[in-house]
Amino acid sequence: MTDSQQRHQIGRMRFDTRRRSLTVASTIRLTPKMLRIVLTSPELADFDSRGADDHIKLFFPRPGGEPLMRDYTPRAFSQADRTLTLDFALHDAGPATAWALGAKVGDTLEIGGPRGSMIVPDDFDWYLLVADETGLPAIGRRLEELRAGVPVITVVAIDTAAEKQAIETKARWTAHWITRDQAGPNDAETLRHALEGLTLPPGDGYVWIAAEAAVAKALRGYVIDTLKHPAQWMRASGYWLRGEAGAHENL
Ligand SMILES: Cc1cc2nc3c(=O)[nH]c(=O)nc-3n(C[C@H](O)[C@H](O)[C@H](O)COP(=O)(O)OP(=O)(O)OC[C@H]3O[C@@H](n4cnc5c(N)ncnc54)[C@H](O)[C@@H]3O)c2cc1C
């Protein structure tokens, strides 16, 4: 094993999954299309989530059927305060979006997981994080967790400049916001174009991609085939599939 491979060991942890019933403590519009909901419950006393891109299942009951499940990122949590924060990227329709839009203080939400965490070590020389709005919660969490001074480049597709988020980080963060109203609606094309324009820092990097499945797949291809980035130092996921409800794809 080379020094680099020894240095950048990506770890996995497993947790016992259990369902928890949480109560809405607050809702805030972070931006016009991003709704932050803070949930609370004594059942969060033993909640654990160690990876910035962990996910939990949200359960939405259906009369006469199994509940519908949707995946969301624990954007933040505090065991001491028994709170869990979720950020919902609002889109046209879907049970998760409808629930978030209607959520009021005191409402309940059933969650499951996370089943496990993927721990990306904070020892890469740089990080490149690429996403649409659905990956922004995981990017926010990673920015907050990364060590002081490490170069991190984010490339995020959003509808308009009003969707930009201010995120606190000690890392050396360079943000590229790709706004669809200016750059056009084709995220695969505009995000790739933005990647082509980057000069990546020297050394070993970790690349993380999360977006609509076809977009994530196209960007993964570019990073592996054109940038020749080592596949073991990247993760690309389809966080949703256009035209299909409740779908995702690990690439
Ligand atoms: C690991 C993981 C973590 C995730 N974390 C988050 C998170 O923290 N915050 C977040 O907002 N999302 C997150 N997502 C994405 C989220 O799970 C999907 O967007 C989900 O489909 C939304 O559920 P829904 O009930 O609103 O819509 P669905 O019922 O699933 O879909 C209804 C319709 O809307 C379309 N659709 C779904 N999502 C979008 C979208 N974002 N934009 C436009 N059209 C869409 C579908 O193609 C379908 O046609 C995550 C996904 C994964 C796999």
Side-chain angles (χ1 to χ4, degrees), residues 17-29:
T17 39
R18 56 174 271 220
R19 288 223 196 173
R20 292 177 170 87
S21 181
L22 311 183
T23 306
V24 173
S26 67
T27 73
I28 338 163
R29 277 288 170 141

PDB file of all heavy atoms in Angstrom, residues 17-29:
ATOM      1  N   THR A  17     -30.406   0.154  13.449  1.00  0.00           N
ATOM      2  CA  THR A  17     -31.441   1.093  12.974  1.00  0.00           C
ATOM      3  C   THR A  17     -32.636   0.994  13.900  1.00  0.00           C
ATOM      4  O   THR A  17     -33.011  -0.086  14.335  1.00  0.00           O
ATOM      5  CB  THR A  17     -31.938   0.759  11.555  1.00  0.00           C
ATOM      6  OG1 THR A  17     -32.022  -0.628  11.442  1.00  0.00           O
ATOM      7  CG2 THR A  17     -31.049   1.351  10.498  1.00  0.00           C
ATOM      8  N   ARG A  18     -33.177   2.133  14.184  1.00  0.00           N
ATOM      9  CA  ARG A  18     -34.453   2.133  14.899  1.00  0.00           C
ATOM     10  C   ARG A  18     -35.248   3.341  14.463  1.00  0.00           C
ATOM     11  O   ARG A  18     -34.707   4.299  13.929  1.00  0.00           O
ATOM     12  CB  ARG A  18     -34.237   2.106  16.411  1.00  0.00           C
ATOM     13  CG  ARG A  18     -33.384   3.228  16.957  1.00  0.00           C
ATOM     14  CD  ARG A  18     -33.352   3.186  18.461  1.00  0.00           C
ATOM     15  NE  ARG A  18     -34.456   3.974  18.977  1.00  0.00           N
ATOM     16  CZ  ARG A  18     -34.330   4.770  20.040  1.00  0.00           C
ATOM     17  NH1 ARG A  18     -33.202   4.835  20.697  1.00  0.00           N
ATOM     18  NH2 ARG A  18     -35.350   5.480  20.451  1.00  0.00           N
ATOM     19  N   ARG A  19     -36.549   3.179  14.656  1.00  0.00           N
ATOM     20  CA  ARG A  19     -37.416   4.299  14.298  1.00  0.00           C
ATOM     21  C   ARG A  19     -37.532   5.240  15.473  1.00  0.00           C
ATOM     22  O   ARG A  19     -37.525   4.813  16.622  1.00  0.00           O
ATOM     23  CB  ARG A  19     -38.810   3.762  13.983  1.00  0.00           C
ATOM     24  CG  ARG A  19     -38.840   3.041  12.690  1.00  0.00           C
ATOM     25  CD  ARG A  19     -40.084   3.466  11.973  1.00  0.00           C
ATOM     26  NE  ARG A  19     -40.355   2.533  10.895  1.00  0.00           N
ATOM     27  CZ  ARG A  19     -41.455   2.560  10.177  1.00  0.00           C
ATOM     28  NH1 ARG A  19     -42.406   3.437  10.443  1.00  0.00           N
ATOM     29  NH2 ARG A  19     -41.627   1.720   9.195  1.00  0.00           N
ATOM     30  N   ARG A  20     -37.641   6.494  15.137  1.00  0.00           N
ATOM     31  CA  ARG A  20     -37.832   7.504  16.183  1.00  0.00           C
ATOM     32  C   ARG A  20     -38.966   8.425  15.765  1.00  0.00           C
ATOM     33  O   ARG A  20     -39.121   8.718  14.578  1.00  0.00           O
ATOM     34  CB  ARG A  20     -36.557   8.336  16.373  1.00  0.00           C
ATOM     35  CG  ARG A  20     -35.398   7.561  16.959  1.00  0.00           C
ATOM     36  CD  ARG A  20     -34.161   8.446  17.044  1.00  0.00           C
ATOM     37  NE  ARG A  20     -33.089   7.820  17.800  1.00  0.00           N
ATOM     38  CZ  ARG A  20     -32.188   6.997  17.291  1.00  0.00           C
ATOM     39  NH1 ARG A  20     -32.212   6.675  16.015  1.00  0.00           N
ATOM     40  NH2 ARG A  20     -31.247   6.476  18.055  1.00  0.00           N
ATOM     41  N   SER A  21     -39.710   8.858  16.739  1.00  0.00           N
ATOM     42  CA  SER A  21     -40.783   9.806  16.466  1.00  0.00           C
ATOM     43  C   SER A  21     -40.355  11.179  16.975  1.00  0.00           C
ATOM     44  O   SER A  21     -40.032  11.336  18.152  1.00  0.00           O
ATOM     45  CB  SER A  21     -42.050   9.329  17.190  1.00  0.00           C
ATOM     46  OG  SER A  21     -43.077  10.229  16.902  1.00  0.00           O
ATOM     47  N   LEU A  22     -40.273  12.132  16.050  1.00  0.00           N
ATOM     48  CA  LEU A  22     -39.751  13.454  16.397  1.00  0.00           C
ATOM     49  C   LEU A  22     -40.858  14.505  16.281  1.00  0.00           C
ATOM     50  O   LEU A  22     -41.863  14.300  15.588  1.00  0.00           O
ATOM     51  CB  LEU A  22     -38.600  13.835  15.456  1.00  0.00           C
ATOM     52  CG  LEU A  22     -37.495  12.789  15.230  1.00  0.00           C
ATOM     53  CD1 LEU A  22     -36.410  13.374  14.324  1.00  0.00           C
ATOM     54  CD2 LEU A  22     -36.895  12.320  16.540  1.00  0.00           C
ATOM     55  N   THR A  23     -40.623  15.639  16.920  1.00  0.00           N
ATOM     56  CA  THR A  23     -41.606  16.733  16.914  1.00  0.00           C
ATOM     57  C   THR A  23     -40.957  17.968  16.303  1.00  0.00           C
ATOM     58  O   THR A  23     -39.805  18.283  16.633  1.00  0.00           O
ATOM     59  CB  THR A  23     -42.016  17.060  18.375  1.00  0.00           C
ATOM     60  OG1 THR A  23     -42.453  15.847  18.973  1.00  0.00           O
ATOM     61  CG2 THR A  23     -43.135  18.076  18.444  1.00  0.00           C
ATOM     62  N   VAL A  24     -41.693  18.653  15.456  1.00  0.00           N
ATOM     63  CA  VAL A  24     -41.157  19.880  14.841  1.00  0.00           C
ATOM     64  C   VAL A  24     -41.003  20.959  15.917  1.00  0.00           C
ATOM     65  O   VAL A  24     -41.961  21.289  16.625  1.00  0.00           O
ATOM     66  CB  VAL A  24     -42.099  20.387  13.722  1.00  0.00           C
ATOM     67  CG1 VAL A  24     -41.640  21.740  13.190  1.00  0.00           C
ATOM     68  CG2 VAL A  24     -42.203  19.361  12.601  1.00  0.00           C
ATOM     69  N   ALA A  25     -39.766  21.491  16.039  1.00  0.00           N
ATOM     70  CA  ALA A  25     -39.501  22.560  17.013  1.00  0.00           C
ATOM     71  C   ALA A  25     -39.497  23.919  16.331  1.00  0.00           C
ATOM     72  O   ALA A  25     -39.871  24.929  16.934  1.00  0.00           O
ATOM     73  CB  ALA A  25     -38.163  22.326  17.703  1.00  0.00           C
ATOM     74  N   SER A  26     -39.023  23.966  15.057  1.00  0.00           N
ATOM     75  CA  SER A  26     -39.037  25.252  14.344  1.00  0.00           C
ATOM     76  C   SER A  26     -38.921  25.011  12.845  1.00  0.00           C
ATOM     77  O   SER A  26     -38.424  23.955  12.420  1.00  0.00           O
ATOM     78  CB  SER A  26     -37.879  26.153  14.802  1.00  0.00           C
ATOM     79  OG  SER A  26     -36.653  25.594  14.411  1.00  0.00           O
ATOM     80  N   THR A  27     -39.393  25.951  12.080  1.00  0.00           N
ATOM     81  CA  THR A  27     -39.194  25.904  10.624  1.00  0.00           C
ATOM     82  C   THR A  27     -38.720  27.299  10.188  1.00  0.00           C
ATOM     83  O   THR A  27     -39.241  28.304  10.678  1.00  0.00           O
ATOM     84  CB  THR A  27     -40.478  25.552   9.839  1.00  0.00           C
ATOM     85  OG1 THR A  27     -41.350  26.660   9.852  1.00  0.00           O
ATOM     86  CG2 THR A  27     -41.209  24.350  10.407  1.00  0.00           C
ATOM     87  N   ILE A  28     -37.693  27.326   9.337  1.00  0.00           N
ATOM     88  CA  ILE A  28     -37.201  28.618   8.828  1.00  0.00           C
ATOM     89  C   ILE A  28     -36.933  28.470   7.334  1.00  0.00           C
ATOM     90  O   ILE A  28     -36.343  27.469   6.922  1.00  0.00           O
ATOM     91  CB  ILE A  28     -35.809  29.049   9.381  1.00  0.00           C
ATOM     92  CG1 ILE A  28     -35.457  28.379  10.699  1.00  0.00           C
ATOM     93  CG2 ILE A  28     -35.630  30.551   9.394  1.00  0.00           C
ATOM     94  CD1 ILE A  28     -33.961  28.486  10.988  1.00  0.00           C
ATOM     95  N   ARG A  29     -37.319  29.499   6.568  1.00  0.00           N
ATOM     96  CA  ARG A  29     -36.927  29.563   5.152  1.00  0.00           C
ATOM     97  C   ARG A  29     -35.503  30.073   5.094  1.00  0.00           C
ATOM     98  O   ARG A  29     -35.262  31.262   5.322  1.00  0.00           O
ATOM     99  CB  ARG A  29     -37.800  30.570   4.419  1.00  0.00           C
ATOM    100  CG  ARG A  29     -39.118  30.109   3.944  1.00  0.00           C
ATOM    101  CD  ARG A  29     -39.027  29.175   2.773  1.00  0.00           C
ATOM    102  NE  ARG A  29     -40.362  28.633   2.579  1.00  0.00           N
ATOM    103  CZ  ARG A  29     -40.933  28.413   1.423  1.00  0.00           C
ATOM    104  NH1 ARG A  29     -40.278  28.606   0.313  1.00  0.00           N
ATOM    105  NH2 ARG A  29     -42.148  27.942   1.343  1.00  0.00           N
TER     106      ARG A  29
END
